[in-house]
Amino acid sequence: LFASDTPPDFSALRVAVVGDLICDHYVVTEPRGLSREAPVIVLRHRGEHVQAGGAANVARNLRALGAPTRVVGVLGRDARGREVLEILERDGVDVACVETIPGWTTPTKTRVVAAEPRRSLQQVLRLDREPDEPAPAAARERARAAIEELSRSLGALVISDYDYGLVDADLGRAAARAAQRGVVVVLDPRGTVEGFDGVTALTPNVAELAHFTGRHAGDLGDPRALAAAARALLEQIRVRYLLVTRGNDGMALYGDGLDPRGVAVEASGAGDVTDVTGAGDTAAAVFALALAAGVEAPRAMQLANAASGVVVMEHGAAVCTPGELAAALASAPAPVRIG
Ligand SMILES: Nc1ncnc2c1ncn2[C@@H]1O[C@H](COP(=O)(O)OP(=O)(O)OP(=O)(O)O)[C@@H](O)[C@H]1O
Ligand SMILES: [Mg+2]
């Protein structure tokens, strides 16, 4: 019983993540009252900070769990891009395959948060800055080439798509070739699954599963409808596992050797949920690491769910350490059959 609570040692697994690198920019303020100029609230600026989001957050999560991690992607050659790069380097992520592109805007989500002294933060506004076009074709081609080259020495590869144009069918085919060579390849999809036929697993949330199968996300709360949507996606694309993340409903797993009705875990988390940003990044990172470490898929889901339950209790896009994962596993919900 005791040994089963211990997460595997991931420190010998070389991993990579390719996808959209994002800057999460927080502006922390204090509310002052209503404006006399317009019906809006006035906030007093208190400070600001940035975090590494999107694929950069997946990379930080992989690294925090002990795996030597390389990130492949592009940033703008701008202030936000530099800050994301610095965070990745500070956290020990290998950034040799990150290209900075002059004139291209680093995708940036600015969240204005407000808090009264000693009260919890509340998001007031989100402002998105986006590049006008996907990264140049030549940079995308270099990212693909890096994947081909790296795949000879990788245990796991995560593709983190936030729909900024790096992840396309060509990248999918490169990822699928990596899977053919024995790399565990996990796609956290947003825009497309085209080209990814043959990768190991997909980790959509419910909205993404609905989008790929032409359904309404609101209808997929019912386990039968969810399983039917999962089957529909598994007919569209050949993958071993489909891990559907369901927010505060936990996760459901479908695929090879599993009950067609699915295997599920309830959301874990001992305390108050503070910020769900990046929980899906943690889920994809841990699921990929666990599969690459030889863990059975339902147990890999349990680990991913436990780790996600840790990060939702912290502000911003957070990471889960091996110690936190071990502690969370002691009381983690077990996988059960649903439907
Ligand atoms: N409110 C919550 N309470 C407990 N656990 C949660 C909550 N929200 C998310 N989680 C955990 O995090 C996992 C991933 O969350 P979710 O399904 O929201 O992914 P996502 O939509 O891809 O997130 P994002 O893209 O913002 O990172 C869930 O399966 C669950 O384990
Ligand atoms: Mg997600």
Side-chain angles (χ1 to χ4, degrees):
L1 187 76
F2 189 74
S4 77
D5 281 349
T6 312
D9 178 7
F10 299 124
S11 63
L13 275 176
R14 288 165 57 88
V15 300
V17 50
V18 58
D20 297 310
L21 307 172
I22 293 171
C23 176
D24 283 325
H25 173 219
Y26 291 87
V27 179
V28 182
T29 69
E30 219 173 85
R32 264 197 161 160
L34 286 179
S35 168
R36 293 197 302 199
E37 300 163 7
V40 296
I41 186 170
V42 178
L43 305 163
R44 171 146 190 240
H45 185 273
R46 278 297 181 187
E48 32 193 299
H49 59 271
V50 303
Q51 290 190 342
N57 187 45
V58 177
R60 290 181 62 243
N61 271 274
L62 292 164
R63 185 69 196 112
L65 285 159
T69 303
R70 177 170 288 203
V71 61
V72 179
V74 297
L75 288 166
R77 196 169 293 173
D78 49 21
R80 297 296 174 221
R82 262 192 300 280
E83 286 174 293
V84 171
L85 203 57
E86 273 167 23
I87 291 167
L88 289 170
E89 283 180 315
R90 179 200 71 197
D91 290 347
V93 173
D94 181 338
V95 296
C97 291
V98 176
E99 219 180 302
T100 60
I101 299 175
W104 194 74
T105 303
T106 299
T108 301
K109 296 176 185 170
T110 296
R111 295 181 179 90
V112 178
V113 296
E116 312 268 9
R118 288 183 304 282
R119 299 274 295 277
S120 62
L121 293 172
Q122 177 117 14
Q123 188 169 324
V124 182
L125 179 81
R126 199 179 96 189
L127 180 70
D128 292 351
R129 248 164 296 194
E130 299 183 342
D132 295 324
E133 291 153 26
R140 303 209 308 274
E141 174 57 40
R142 281 190 288 273
R144 275 200 298 281
I147 294 308
E148 301 270 3
E149 174 65 32
L150 284 172
S151 66
R152 291 164 220 289
S153 59
L154 286 181
L157 171 66
V158 181
I159 299 99
S160 173
D161 186 13
Y162 276 80
D163 218 8
Y164 289 107
L166 189 75
V167 177
D168 59 11
D170 288 334
L171 186 77
R173 284 183 277 274
R177 284 192 290 276
Q180 224 157 36
R181 292 190 195 109
V183 181
V184 166
V185 178
V186 172
L187 168 66
D188 191 8
R190 177 70 53 92
T192 184
V193 296
E194 204 198 318
F196 284 88
D197 210 64
V199 302
T200 313
L202 308 181
T203 61
N205 62 21
V206 172
E208 289 152 355
L209 174 63
H211 166 72
F212 293 129
T213 58
R215 286 155 215 254
H216 293 289
D219 295 340
L220 301 188
D222 168 55
R224 285 190 194 176
L226 188 67
R231 271 197 303 279
L233 186 55
L234 288 170
E235 277 163 23
Q236 264 181 56
I237 175 170
R238 188 172 45 85
V239 296
R240 276 192 79 185
Y241 302 111
L242 175 60
L243 177 69
V244 182
T245 66
R246 308 171 67 202
N248 61 6
D249 290 327
M251 300 180 175
L253 179 68
Y254 307 86
D256 255 23
L258 301 171
D259 190 302
R261 287 169 295 183
V263 180
V265 279
E266 282 174 29
S268 81
D272 286 338
V273 170
T274 303
D275 188 345
V276 298
T277 307
D281 301 333
T282 303
V286 175
F287 192 62
L289 279 179
L291 289 182
V295 172
E296 299 273 341
R299 171 70 171 167
M301 168 174 67
Q302 188 184 23
L303 293 170
N305 188 62
S308 300
V310 170
V311 301
V312 297
M313 299 197 297
E314 288 168 47
H315 276 293
V319 299
C320 176
T321 64
E324 288 171 322
L325 180 54
L329 278 176
S331 60
V336 293
R337 253 191 277 148
I338 51 167

